[in-house]
Amino acid sequence: MVELLPSILSADFARLADEVAAAERGGGTVIHVDVMDGHFVPNITLGPPVVKSLRKATNLPLDCHLMIENANEYIPAFADAGANWIGVHYEACPHLHRTIELILNHGLKPGVVINPATRVEVLLEILPMLHHVLVMSVNPGFGGQKFIDFSLNKIRRLAEIREELGLRFRIEVDGGVAHDTIAQVVQAGAELLVAGNAVFGSGKAEQNARELLAAAKAAAGIAV
Ligand code: DX5
Ligand code: ZN
């Protein structure tokens, strides 16, 4: 089942509750929250206090995408703040199994995120523990970048591996997902579709979300 995950990175942070409400009216079902530390990625965004405020503003699940070093130190604070899903980067977690166990022990849904240059096969052993795998289709750090085409092969490969191994993790894609790319990512096998600029970039979040979701469902062969 395809779902749209509006990424608040491109929202107006001074009107965050309104922006999230508009994206929800447009059909967004999970809110994607980009956490950046200025070390793992060259940008700084937000931390647990903003997640805590978002938690009060919406009942939708909060998908926290941690683009940070030392994730283990901060996972308890994101759990306390009201996060539901936590995605950590393969490239930033030297003890990935321990990190996934930590997320599970806090009662949250764990995911692993891979950068464009990271191959999906590095996740083989950890896949049975995961709720989702997030394929970055841009280099993380900024919204509004161009979709990297070879990400489609990675999505297809992940879908094949899931089938071969009989697993249930969900396939998420993030970066450059917009009106011109959303059908391709759905056809490749992605079902959790993160979109920042395409939802919030032009100040019409509700309408943008509705149109993106309709395009995604059409590509998935679901009546809209
Ligand atoms: C980038 C973030 C994305 C970002 C995507 O590092 O992880 O979630 O918001 O933005 P768009 O959809 O504009 O590429
Ligand atoms: Zn993200």
Side-chain angles (χ1 to χ4, degrees):
M1 183 65 184
V2 289
E3 294 189 57
L4 181 68
L5 287 69
S7 166
I8 59 165
L9 184 63
S10 293
D12 178 352
F13 275 42
R15 302 176 40 254
L16 210 41
D18 291 347
E19 293 269 70
V20 167
E24 182 173 358
R25 286 195 303 275
T29 40
V30 177
I31 301 300
H32 184 83
V33 182
D34 287 307
V35 178
M36 305 186 189
D37 67 352
H39 292 278
F40 177 61
V41 288
N43 197 3
I44 299 175
T45 53
L46 55 89
V50 175
V51 173
K52 195 172 173 188
S53 295
L54 277 169
R55 181 70 294 153
K56 292 183 211 147
T58 179
N59 291 321
L60 295 182
L62 301 175
D63 170 29
C64 292
H65 173 191
L66 302 189
M67 287 161 272
I68 64 175
E69 293 176 359
N70 304 317
N72 293 17
E73 283 181 35
Y74 300 98
I75 285 165
F78 282 101
D80 288 348
N84 303 96
W85 305 3
I86 293 205
V88 293
H89 268 263
Y90 169 82
E91 301 84 3
C93 295
H95 306 288
L96 187 58
H97 177 263
R98 178 179 290 151
T99 304
I100 297 304
E101 284 202 315
L102 183 63
I103 296 169
L104 286 167
N105 288 341
H106 281 85
L108 307 181
K109 294 187 159 70
V112 174
V113 190
I114 51 173
N115 278 340
T118 301
R119 51 209 283 273
V120 299
E121 282 78 4
V122 298
L123 300 180
L124 275 180
E125 279 72 20
I126 205 83
L127 286 176
M129 295 177 76
L130 302 183
H131 167 263
H132 61 281
V133 173
L134 171 45
V135 174
M136 286 306 301
S137 39
V138 300
N139 289 292
F142 303 94
Q145 302 183 77
K146 187 180 175 315
F147 184 86
I148 297 173
D149 285 323
F150 67 65
S151 314
L152 295 170
N153 287 334
K154 294 173 69 180
I155 294 167
R156 285 187 204 105
R157 180 78 189 111
L158 257 180
E160 282 169 15
I161 290 172
R162 181 174 61 183
E163 179 78 23
E164 280 164 22
L165 301 182
L167 297 174
R168 300 166 65 92
F169 62 85
R170 304 188 73 193
I171 301 176
E172 183 172 358
V173 61
D174 181 9
V177 174
H179 301 277
D180 56 340
T181 53
I182 200 160
Q184 287 173 289
V185 299
V186 169
Q187 282 157 2
E191 54 209 329
L192 300 170
L193 313 167
V194 177
N197 203 52
V199 172
F200 295 109
S202 61
K204 295 182 296 182
E206 180 178 349
Q207 185 185 333
N208 291 338
R210 187 168 289 125
E211 289 173 7
L212 279 170
L213 193 57
K217 286 184 174 175
I222 301 165
V224 288

